[in-house]
Amino acid sequence: MNSLFFSSFAGKERHSINTITQGNHSFRSLGDDYSIEIDVEFVPNSRLVLFNKDLARQLNLQLPKSDQDIERIMLENFAWFKHDNQNVSRIKSNIIKTFFSTRYQDSDDKFEGSALGDGRAIWVGEIINKLESGHLQYVDIVLKGTGATELAWLNHPKESHKDGQVGLTEAVHEYIYSLAAKKNGINAVGVLAIIELPFLRKVDNERAAIVVRAGNHLRFAHYCYFTDNAEQLKKLFEYGLKRDMGLPLTQSISPQDIPDYLELIVTNLASDAAIYFDVHAVHGSPTFGNLTSCGGAIDFATFVYTDAHHGNYSYMSGGANLLGGVWGQTEQFFNLFSLLVDSLKNSRFEYEAGIKPVEYFLESFNEKFEQVLTFRWLKRIGLSAPQIDCLSIENKECFYDNVKLIYELNGSKKIKFKQGKVMLAAFEPRKILSETAGHIKNFDNLAVIWEKLFKVNRNWGTYKLIDAKPYIKSYQQSVINIVHELKASKEDIAQWQQRSRAINLSERNEPGADFFYNSERFFASKDVLKKINGGNIAWPEISEAAELSTLKLADHGIAPIK
């Protein structure tokens, strides 16, 4: 299955970076209708500033021994920029290669200037690993920030979407937050490296950068682009299905593969949506273009972690989408899948008849969402996996309902920000769950549970004990029911306490005046950018600083449920 939670490889042969970056890719076998060729030239005087050695090992890449040689080989293979889109202030290179950009539709239409594909990215190669399970793992190597292609979103109101470049701040942010997402269990496209380019981006006068991505880059938007041509869609859909299900591209499609594939996508989406909800992760642009064909996440430039489930946080421009509510982020994940299913059915392509109704998939989505959250929340209070499995459905559902309500409750009054007054969350649920086992002996003492678990000592805490009392009582009862059903002994409780303490909660800043927008979005990148801008610090030290920033964003000790 196509996931960046890498499994063990069946073979030990490593991939040469020089070999996999020659533009050879199975996507090209689809034909000229699906991509365009892009001429790029080598950019001398570039600099490797971040490199993910762990990801390189997971990809089974062959690496030189010295740090200097790693930088050399990364620059030789990835420091490229579009040949006809050069910054006039620098010398042109005579070393030219041809890669390709793919067509996809991430806007309402396919008019010239709309979002019609890789507007600032090129595909340079592909890695195919055979796993011990027998499945194949397909990994696309893509460079982002290589100059505007003819597929760029030139009608976008923001200039930053038109020049085909990536600023260093955005690049570092994506590196850190994609890695943090993976550590939190989210199926995220990885960032292998960040390369600093030797020229400034005109739109913000910041150094330009290249993001070297590794992962599945086929998106919902690729399918959307071809829904007006049944034959082309069939060809692409078969290609995506085989890759995402880990099948050889030469294998024939069976009728059962279609529902199995869509079930894989919707359950992957539900699992990720649950983790987003649990750890207060926010994707600032969940669109057709930022969801991979297997239901994973791509493009973390707008990603942020809040310090609680602030349901009134607007995660897209113009205040159109709120984190919570009827059309919150969780609902948006399924809504995008629903739109994909409708587009496939309306296309009248060959497999349309085998696609089940949206209502069927909604049931699968909700079931998986609840399953993952219940497991994670019971794990947070210290239960082992066997204990979770033994619990009755009744007590699991009671616990889930109470904790979900605690997550979603709004405070008692609005807090003032630059954007206006906003009602924030009532509680810090991750804190409540992590402290539960340590205070079970006092679980019948309302005042203690309020003071130690439910009271919010942050700038947005508005609830008083009298406000919180009914929610505390319901939570107390749901936990007591679990203790009684499992007949938990003192030794069991001690183990719960030990396990819950081992789940280290990530650091979360309180919202400042910008409410996690603007500069507050990039707080985790500041130390890394400072080292990069120092000029004389090598990539290993900068990468170590990025790893530390990443670790502060991840809740450690909760293994993802598959």
Side-chain angles (χ1 to χ4, degrees), residues 268-408:
N268 282 349
L269 275 173
S271 179
D272 275 6
I275 298 172
Y276 276 70
F277 188 90
D278 178 35
V279 300
H280 317 311
V282 185
H283 196 306
S285 184
T287 66
F288 263 31
N290 290 329
L291 287 178
T292 68
S293 57
C294 63
I298 193 170
D299 197 344
F300 290 82
T302 57
F303 213 83
V304 69
Y305 287 98
T306 59
D307 62 340
H309 184 78
H310 300 302
N312 290 303
Y313 178 80
S314 175
Y315 61 89
M316 293 186 78
S317 60
N321 296 80
L322 299 179
L323 184 59
V326 177
W327 295 107
Q329 182 173 243
T330 300
E331 290 72 20
Q332 178 75 347
F333 276 109
F334 183 78
N335 185 47
L336 289 168
F337 176 80
S338 174
L339 291 172
L340 174 66
V341 170
D342 287 343
S343 297
L344 293 173
K345 290 178 76 71
N346 293 335
S347 71
R348 304 296 185 216
F349 83 132
E350 182 176 325
Y351 301 117
E352 178 266 331
I355 299 175
K356 295 180 180 179
V358 168
E359 293 76 15
Y360 168 85
F361 293 111
L362 179 59
E363 185 176 341
S364 293
F365 182 92
N366 289 337
E367 182 180 331
K368 187 67 173 181
F369 182 81
E370 182 172 340
Q371 178 198 12
V372 172
L373 276 180
T374 302
F375 177 88
R376 291 177 67 89
W377 290 342
L378 289 169
K379 195 82 182 292
R380 284 186 184 277
I381 68 173
L383 271 66
S384 65
Q387 288 173 328
I388 295 171
D389 290 339
C390 287
L391 272 181
S392 66
I393 293 175
E394 180 183 2
N395 277 334
K396 282 182 180 178
E397 287 182 346
C398 177
F399 181 76
Y400 169 81
D401 290 340
N402 278 294
V403 177
K404 190 166 187 286
L405 178 61
I406 288 169
Y407 265 76
E408 293 179 329

Side-chain angles (χ1 to χ4, degrees), residues 210-258:
I210 289 174
V211 181
V212 183
R213 286 176 172 172
N216 177 25
H217 281 72
L218 196 66
R219 313 165 191 241
F220 279 15
H222 281 94
Y223 294 145
C224 182
Y225 187 95
F226 293 98
T227 51
D228 59 358
N229 187 309
E231 282 303 311
Q232 289 178 333
L233 176 60
K234 174 181 179 290
K235 192 174 183 180
L236 180 63
F237 190 79
E238 288 180 343
Y239 173 79
L241 182 154
K242 293 173 188 178
R243 279 173 44 109
D244 290 339
M245 297 186 72
L247 305 175
L249 296 180
T250 54
Q251 183 166 319
S252 299
I253 299 295
S254 71
Q256 186 56 42
D257 286 333
I258 309 305

